[in-house]
């Protein structure tokens, strides 16, 4: 897979409209990201113990490269504990310091300076320098999907001002640039050879002890700049299905089943010795309709399909109630979300009229292509096909192997499912998937008004004015985009009774285990 789509899936989004600029004066110590508590009781956190955590993946798809294709969640978990990104999600602020302690923009919002955390070192004791970060970001930018990972940032515009200051210059004013640094900006030593990446020292809270076919043991980094982690070690175990992982948790073989899904949560509800840790509205599973050409290029046809879906039934049946109804706007956790846009509900009569007005051929059968990459995805396609038939649209669900899907279907097919393991930034989805020149424009959308509004918003310093522009952006998305977002799935972890303070943050935030501990 040339473009590392799933690396974005697990990475998380970025700052909301206010959060990015609010962090400019942050002088906090790196690694200070908040984690919402999990577990019960009033015990004080205590150090020690080994956390055994299960994560989904396939042994045939493992990777060790922090800038490579991370098709397995197990790989992303391991890499995120060993290597640090510049920033991370937070509770008190949408973007919190990590390897970068603070950042500040120029008056024109094009040049941003990032100051590295005091005391940041690699696992071999070598200090982290701005040159290491510059080399790492350029390596990231020069990957096949580099344009999507760091949009608007050319490799030559990533420089070191001094030993602790990294300078990023955007092609255009960008008030939200810090959110990009939450996106797999993992830092390696400068000039690390590709064949040495697997064993390269990181900067994260845990150090690699051993690794075998997607399974790994990580030990505490006592010298981590963010403070000493509580756990002695983390053992990551790869599972190829959510059910197998849930069974291992229920049998006491692991302490945490990560991102295990609604079906497993329902099974565990009666177990008093199992915690169900929910991250509300954590994953988007929209249906994508290609807008550039083909049968869904007419906006009236896309609106008809959006009116044909029974969103409540989708959430109840596909997600077992572990989720919320969506309104065709991506970024549902963003403080800037346009919540006053009227909720789109099912209207079969209007859907049929729109299809007739557009001259849509209801005699044909249209393929909806999906995968079984995550729990509920294929099921959502099947239920939607049944619902669409009531509006006169015949849909045939085609399940594809994951590799074929991402190589041949994604970004190309007229109608397919996709998924994003994050929900917290309207800007993230606009920049990655909806601008006409976006590197991962999933629906082939080209709307000049959307592009213009986005650029204006990104170049606006005043948060209130930027918020108004972001509202306009979402109104355009709601009315015309190729996304049918029927609902948001909760992220669900199952945990043993002894586990405390698992993170509840989205994306990259949920793999930050430095504050997790064991009450035993």
């Amino acid at each position: 897979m040339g473009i590392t789509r799933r690396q974005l899936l697990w990475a998380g989004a970025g700052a909301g409209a206010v959060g990015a600029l609010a962090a400019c004066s942050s002088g906090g110590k790196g690694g200070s990201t908040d984690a919402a508590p999990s577990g019960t009781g009033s015990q004080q956190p205590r150090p020690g113990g080994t956390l055994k955590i299960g994560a989904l993946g396939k042994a045939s798809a493992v990777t060790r490269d922090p800038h490579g294709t991370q098709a397995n969640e197990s790989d992303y978990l391991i890499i995120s504990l060993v290597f640090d990104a510049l920033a991370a999600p937070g509770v008190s602020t949408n973007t919190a310091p990590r390897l970068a302690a603070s950042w500040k923009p120029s008056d024109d919002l094009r040049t941003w300076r990032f100051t590295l955390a005091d005391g940041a070192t690699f696992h071999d004791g070598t200090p982290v320098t701005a040159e290491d970060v510059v080399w790492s970001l350029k390596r990231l930018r020069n990957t096949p999907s580099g344009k999507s990972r760091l949009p608007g940032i050319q490799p030559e515009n990533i420089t070191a001002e001094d030993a602790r200051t990294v300078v990023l210059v955007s092609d255009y004013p960008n008030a939200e640039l810090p959110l990009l640094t939450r996106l797999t900006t993992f830092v390696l030593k400068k000039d690390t050879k590709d064949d040495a990446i697997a064993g390269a020292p990181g900067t994260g809270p845990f150090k690699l002890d051993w690794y075998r076919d997607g399974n790994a043991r990580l030990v505490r980094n006592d010298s981590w700049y963010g403070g000493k982690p509580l756990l002695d070690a983390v053992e990551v175990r790869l599972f190829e299905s959510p059910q197998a992982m849930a069974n291992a948790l229920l049998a006491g073989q692991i302490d945490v089943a990560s991102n295990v899904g609604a079906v497993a949560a329902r099974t565990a509800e009666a177990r008093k010795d199992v915690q169900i840790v929910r991250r509300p509205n954590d994953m988007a599973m929209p249906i994508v309709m290609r807008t550039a050409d083909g049968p869904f290029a007419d906006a009236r046809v896309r609106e008809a399909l959006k009116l044909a879906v029974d969103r409540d039934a989708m959430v109840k049946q596909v997600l077992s109630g572990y989720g919320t109804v969506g309104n065709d706007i991506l970024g549902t956790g963003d403080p800037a979300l346009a919540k006053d846009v009227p909720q789109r509900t099912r209207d079969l009569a209007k859907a049929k009229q729109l299809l007739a007005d557009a001259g849509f051929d209801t005699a044909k059968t249209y393929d909806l292509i999906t995968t079984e990459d995550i729990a509920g995805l294929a099921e959502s396609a099947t239920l939607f096909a049944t619902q669409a038939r009531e509006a006169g649209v015949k849909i045939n669900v085609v399940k594809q192997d994951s590799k074929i899907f991402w190589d041949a279907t994604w970004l190309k097919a007229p109608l397919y499912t996709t998924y994003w393991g994050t929900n917290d930034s309207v800007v993230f989805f606009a920049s990655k998937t909806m601008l006409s020149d976006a590197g991962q424009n999933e629906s082939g959308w080209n709307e000049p008004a959307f592009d213009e509004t986005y650029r204006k918003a990104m170049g606006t310093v005043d948060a209130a004015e930027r918020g108004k522009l972001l509202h306009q952006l979402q109104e355009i998305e709601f009315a015309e985009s190729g996304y049918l977002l029927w609902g948001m799935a909760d992220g669900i972890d199952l945990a043993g009774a002894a586990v405390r303070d698992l993170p509840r943050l989205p994306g990259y935030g949920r793999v930050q285990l430095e504050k997790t501990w064991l009450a035993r």
Side-chain angles (χ1 to χ4, degrees):
M1 182 167 57
I3 296 176
T4 59
R5 162 67 175 85
R6 291 194 219 168
Q7 201 164 25
L8 293 178
L9 165 68
W10 304 122
V18 180
L21 292 179
C24 297
S25 61
S26 172
K29 192 174 183 180
S32 62
T33 303
D34 301 306
S38 65
T40 56
S42 58
Q43 297 166 288
Q44 291 297 311
R46 63 186 189 190
T50 296
L51 181 76
K52 298 179 180 179
I53 183 168
L56 294 172
K58 294 185 178 180
S60 60
V62 298
T63 183
R64 306 291 300 280
D65 191 340
H67 299 153
T69 301
Q70 293 156 21
N72 290 335
E73 186 174 0
S74 55
D75 293 329
Y76 187 73
L77 174 58
I78 294 165
I79 286 169
S80 298
L81 294 173
V82 173
F83 298 93
D84 272 322
L86 293 181
V91 172
S92 56
T93 60
N94 279 337
T95 297
R98 194 75 173 182
L99 192 56
S102 62
W103 41 83
K104 185 176 182 179
S106 59
D107 291 341
D108 64 1
L109 299 178
R110 288 192 61 193
T111 301
W112 286 78
R113 287 173 169 80
F114 293 80
T115 301
L116 300 184
D118 289 335
T121 63
F122 289 100
H123 292 158
D124 62 1
T126 307
V128 179
T129 69
E131 291 290 349
D132 295 313
V133 177
V134 168
W135 181 86
S136 297
L137 294 185
K138 287 185 175 182
R139 182 177 187 267
L140 177 67
R141 181 61 178 79
N142 286 322
T143 61
S145 59
K147 181 181 177 182
S148 293
R149 292 165 164 181
L150 290 174
I153 306 294
Q154 305 302 322
E156 61 270 21
N157 291 330
I158 306 171
T159 60
E161 185 171 85
D162 54 44
R164 295 186 61 237
T165 307
V166 177
V167 180
L168 302 182
V169 180
S170 174
D171 293 342
Y172 49 84
N174 191 344
E176 300 281 2
L177 190 145
L179 73 83
L180 304 179
T181 68
R182 291 173 45 167
L183 189 61
T184 63
T185 52
F186 299 118
V187 174
L188 296 156
K189 273 191 174 184
K190 181 181 178 182
D191 297 328
T192 300
K193 302 299 182 185
D194 287 347
D195 59 4
I197 292 292
T203 64
F206 293 89
K207 301 184 290 186
L208 186 66
D209 183 16
W210 55 257
Y211 180 99
R212 301 186 192 100
D213 299 324
N215 302 283
R217 177 180 170 83
L218 314 172
V219 296
R220 182 177 58 225
N221 176 15
D222 290 329
S223 300
W224 190 48
Y225 63 91
K228 189 175 179 180
L230 292 170
L231 295 166
D232 288 335
V234 176
E235 291 186 1
V236 179
R237 181 176 169 187
L238 181 151
F239 289 89
E240 296 206 353
S241 75
Q243 190 59 52
M245 181 164 59
N247 289 342
L249 183 283
L250 296 175
Q253 298 169 0
I254 57 175
D255 300 305
V256 177
S258 176
N259 217 32
V260 73
V263 173
R266 286 294 183 207
T267 302
E269 282 179 344
R271 292 280 297 261
K272 297 184 181 299
D273 58 337
V274 175
Q275 304 174 58
I276 300 175
V277 181
R278 298 176 66 168
R279 297 181 302 278
N281 308 323
D282 193 44
M283 180 172 289
M285 294 191 286
I287 292 169
V288 179
M289 299 170 284
R290 183 166 176 80
T291 65
D293 48 47
F296 309 104
D298 192 315
R300 292 171 294 183
V301 174
R302 299 196 296 275
E303 184 181 357
L305 290 184
K306 293 173 185 178
L307 291 170
V309 65
D310 185 336
R311 298 162 194 262
D312 288 318
M314 294 284 280
V315 171
K316 290 175 183 176
Q317 295 180 46
V318 175
L319 305 178
S320 297
Y322 283 90
T324 55
V325 166
N327 199 28
D328 306 322
I329 298 174
L330 293 163
T332 59
D334 195 329
L337 181 70
K339 296 179 181 178
D340 58 340
V341 173
Q343 175 65 53
R344 187 173 268 140
T345 57
R346 197 179 202 204
D347 189 335
L348 292 176
K350 185 176 181 180
K352 291 176 181 178
Q353 185 60 55
L354 286 166
L355 292 171
D357 292 345
F360 184 78
D361 190 349
T362 55
K364 290 184 178 179
T365 298
Y366 302 89
D367 286 344
L368 170 55
I369 305 175
T370 187
T371 72
E372 295 181 304
D373 282 4
I374 59 170
L377 192 64
E379 291 80 1
S380 71
T382 300
L383 182 55
F384 172 73
T386 300
Q387 295 176 351
R389 194 172 187 87
E390 295 181 54
V393 180
K394 294 190 286 290
I395 290 177
N396 175 49
V397 175
V398 178
K399 296 179 184 178
Q400 279 186 341
D401 174 79
S402 182
K403 185 179 189 308
I404 295 173
F405 179 89
W406 296 111
D407 286 346
T409 297
W410 182 59
L411 303 181
K412 305 176 184 70
L415 189 65
Y416 63 94
T417 61
T418 189
Y419 59 97
W420 292 87
T422 184
N423 74 340
D424 65 333
S425 175
V426 168
V427 168
F428 171 86
F429 288 107
S431 64
K432 296 293 182 294
T433 73
M434 281 179 271
L435 293 177
S436 57
D437 63 349
Q440 302 192 352
N441 190 334
E442 293 186 311
S443 67
W445 198 30
N446 187 340
E447 176 48 64
F450 187 89
D451 292 355
E452 181 182 0
T453 304
Y454 174 84
R455 300 296 185 203
K456 285 183 179 179
M458 293 304 93
T460 300
V461 176
D462 182 77
E465 288 302 312
R466 189 164 67 254
K468 292 178 183 178
L469 290 166
L470 290 175
H471 193 284
Q472 294 176 23
L473 196 75
Q474 294 168 77
E475 290 177 321
I476 299 171
E477 177 187 349
F478 175 83
E480 300 181 26
S481 89
Y483 284 109
L484 192 170
L485 181 62
W486 53 266
M488 292 293 302
D490 291 350
I492 300 171
D493 298 334
L494 299 184
V499 179
R500 298 288 186 274
D501 291 339
L502 277 177
R504 296 177 185 263
L505 295 167
Y508 177 53
R510 73 179 170 80
V511 296
Q512 297 164 26
L513 301 177
E514 62 270 10
K515 293 183 179 180
T516 300
W517 57 287
L518 295 171
R520 63 186 183 204

